[in-house]
Amino acid sequence: MADGCACDRHAHMYLSVDQALARGLAVADPVTDTETLPLADAIGRVLAEDCVSKVDMPAFDNSAMDGYAVRTQDLGDGPLFDLPVAGRIAAGDSGAHLAPAGSAVRIFTGAPVPPDFDAVLMQEDCETTKTGIRFTRCPKPGQHIRRVGEDLNAGAPILRRGCEITAREAAALASAGYGTVEVIRKLKVTIFSTGSELKQPGEELRPGQIYNSNRFMLRALLDKPWINLTDKGPVEDDPALLEQVLRDACETSDLIVTTGGVSVGDEDHMPRLFADIGGQTDVMKVAMKPGKPIMFGRRERALYVGLPGNPVSAYVTWKIIGSQMMARRAGLHRAPQTPERAVLAEPLQRRAGREEYRPVQIEGLSAEGSPRLRLMAPSYSGRVALLAQADGLAVIPAEIETMSEGQGLRFLRF
Ligand code: AMP
Ligand code: MG
């Protein structure tokens, strides 16, 4: 695929990134099959039910401190308060025992506060005496007591379907009493890299060959607990071979992701092959740099995303468009990454016409506290190793031709 000026002159004929994304999302309907799993096995998966708390949180009045529980009505005028200590309640004790009026109870964080006791004194504020405790500050009713239902009542919503069960969600579900949870079944994803020039890293390169980087990039990008991945490896630019792999993948996949072969060269077979096997295709030229040609397709339940072969283009189109289609297909309700505000650490000059995602490094902060972005090489689309040294992508709007040092722009942090 040539990336020259002729393309940019026709940029008005291309779809904008937003238009392409909208078209991609429109064909990416969410998988709806679910399964019920023990909570520990559901970690990393996509929640399929709206969840409400099964219990009050906290479930009982309990102490927020290590110290002494008292009844404020037992306390006189001060300035010194003396109480005998009548018992001891630790976390896990039932707290059913009644303590006598006119006494304090030794209590620890998380332990149930006995009935009628309405304040907890921190142990740091109490002096122990021969008969009990002495303190000088009269506690307020309710002090250091966590009341039943104070955080959440049983029945209150805690999580919506479509979220990923990461650490915070797992903790919330556990505290709300979920021993099992309903999740969306794993998304079946098949990947392969097209190109007769591709060689497995570690092997010796013959003239004309290159190492297959897209395969490993996709393996890393798709390494998710909610994905069941099939990697068909590299496939030569042989139409019969490609068609067979594509046909097989369609039978078994919710999503197929390939790289290469979606452009207009003689060896770019994917759009025609996908149509030949009965798929609906949408090959789009998107006004984005890097990464012009991207293809979507649908054949029965298989959604197909054909990324450009150039590894930087493949990464950027995946990040900006493909990954969002996949998230939607997997049943995730996830807002796309919100760009940060950043400023340029140097002036920029370029050809207008395409929205550009330029690899950048953060070089300190501006006076206002925004990251200052140093542009990496102006010609970067063939240099995937640069991506590994970048801190993120600066987003340069399509119509922009020049920018000055200190000018603000959007930044997508890796
Ligand atoms: P294509 O889109 O198939 O025309 O490929 C565009 C460019 O990306 C060509 O220079 C390919 O050699 C290169 N390329 C395609 N697939 C890969 C891959 N899996 N790993 C590294 N480079 C690739
Ligand atoms: Mg190719």
Side-chain angles (χ1 to χ4, degrees):
M1 184 198 75
D3 227 8
C5 59
C7 303
D8 287 333
R9 247 189 279 133
H10 296 106
H12 62 280
M13 289 162 49
Y14 299 161
L15 292 181
S16 72
V17 173
D18 287 346
Q19 286 169 325
L21 180 59
R23 271 161 74 159
L25 291 175
V27 289
D29 59 313
V31 161
T32 51
D33 303 337
T34 65
E35 57 184 322
T36 300
L37 295 178
L39 182 55
D41 297 334
I43 289 167
R45 299 289 296 275
V46 181
L47 191 63
E49 51 179 336
D50 289 336
C51 293
V52 299
S53 183
K54 294 178 190 282
V55 292
D56 288 324
M57 285 194 247
F60 51 89
D61 291 353
N62 69 90
S63 177
M65 293 287 170
D66 292 329
Y68 298 88
V70 298
R71 308 191 327 161
T72 51
Q73 70 198 75
D74 293 342
L75 304 176
D77 293 335
L80 283 181
F81 304 94
D82 282 284
L83 288 174
V85 176
R88 181 181 189 280
I89 313 174
D93 289 346
S94 78
H97 50 301
L98 281 170
S103 61
V105 172
R106 182 73 171 121
I107 197 163
F108 299 95
T109 305
V113 176
D116 293 341
F117 281 65
D118 64 345
V120 168
L121 289 149
M122 285 167 65
Q123 64 188 34
E124 293 86 336
D125 293 335
C126 301
E127 188 188 315
T128 50
T129 62
K130 278 206 180 74
T131 53
I133 53 165
R134 167 172 293 177
F135 50 95
T136 54
R137 204 176 302 139
C138 186
K140 290 196 187 69
Q143 173 179 298
H144 300 320
I145 295 179
R146 301 189 285 218
R147 294 289 181 195
V148 60
E150 178 180 289
D151 294 340
L152 214 58
N153 285 121
I158 52 162
L159 291 172
R160 300 297 301 268
R161 60 171 295 157
C163 68
E164 236 167 320
I165 305 175
T166 67
R168 292 172 298 115
E169 290 80 6
L173 287 164
S175 69
Y178 281 80
T180 61
V181 58
E182 196 185 343
V183 297
I184 308 225
R185 75 156 167 77
K186 285 191 184 187
L187 195 71
K188 294 172 191 160
V189 184
T190 301
I191 58 172
F192 58 94
S193 358
T194 76
S196 301
E197 71 278 35
L198 302 177
K199 197 83 181 169
Q200 177 80 353
E203 292 176 2
E204 203 169 326
L205 290 178
R206 288 202 306 276
Q209 295 183 325
I210 59 168
Y211 288 127
N212 184 351
S213 43
N214 291 340
R215 179 181 189 188
F216 299 92
M217 182 167 77
L218 282 178
R219 286 285 287 256
L221 287 167
L222 301 179
D223 186 13
K224 313 264 186 207
W226 43 269
I227 287 180
N228 199 334
L229 189 70
T230 304
D231 178 0
K232 302 231 184 222
V235 183
E236 284 172 33
D237 293 315
D238 167 351
L241 214 59
L242 286 166
E243 180 178 325
Q244 196 49 51
V245 179
L246 206 50
R247 219 181 254 286
D248 291 349
C250 280
E251 299 304 321
T252 55
S253 314
D254 303 307
L255 173 67
I256 303 165
V257 186
T258 67
T259 57
V262 293
S263 195
V264 294
D266 289 348
E267 297 297 338
D268 294 324
H269 303 293
M270 300 311 280
R272 184 179 55 77
L273 286 177
F274 198 74
D276 283 354
I277 63 166
Q280 304 286 317
T281 61
D282 194 350
V283 184
M284 288 179 286
K285 289 200 168 171
V286 185
M288 72 188 284
K289 184 183 174 179
K292 238 169 339 190
I294 174 165
M295 169 188 167
F296 310 144
R298 187 73 196 236
R299 181 175 177 259
E300 288 151 27
R301 76 177 169 95
L303 173 67
Y304 174 45
V305 178
L307 302 173
N310 177 307
V312 178
S313 305
Y315 182 83
V316 172
T317 45
W318 178 257
K319 192 171 166 67
I320 304 300
I321 299 178
S323 65
Q324 295 194 59
M325 293 172 63
M326 177 175 75
R328 192 174 140 74
R329 185 96 178 99
L332 278 165
H333 294 291
R334 190 164 55 183
Q337 184 184 2
T338 318
E340 294 173 45
R341 292 304 303 173
V343 298
L344 277 179
E346 61 186 310
L348 162 93
Q349 183 132 38
R350 61 161 217 140
R351 195 190 308 277
R354 293 196 269 156
E355 183 157 281
E356 184 169 349
Y357 297 83
R358 174 82 72 98
V360 287
Q361 285 178 326
I362 297 174
E363 192 187 81
L365 297 178
S366 70
E368 293 75 38
S370 308
R372 280 167 52 82
L373 305 181
R374 176 69 59 190
L375 302 165
M376 299 185 73
S379 150
Y380 51 84
S381 72
R383 302 166 66 180
V384 73
L386 273 186
L387 273 185
Q389 293 153 22
D391 295 314
L393 300 170
V395 186
I396 304 161
E399 69 282 2
I400 294 290
E401 208 154 56
T402 59
M403 292 183 81
S404 41
E405 185 192 335
Q407 205 172 328
L409 78 177
R410 289 178 298 152
F411 171 52
L412 292 165
R413 202 184 277 265
F414 288 148

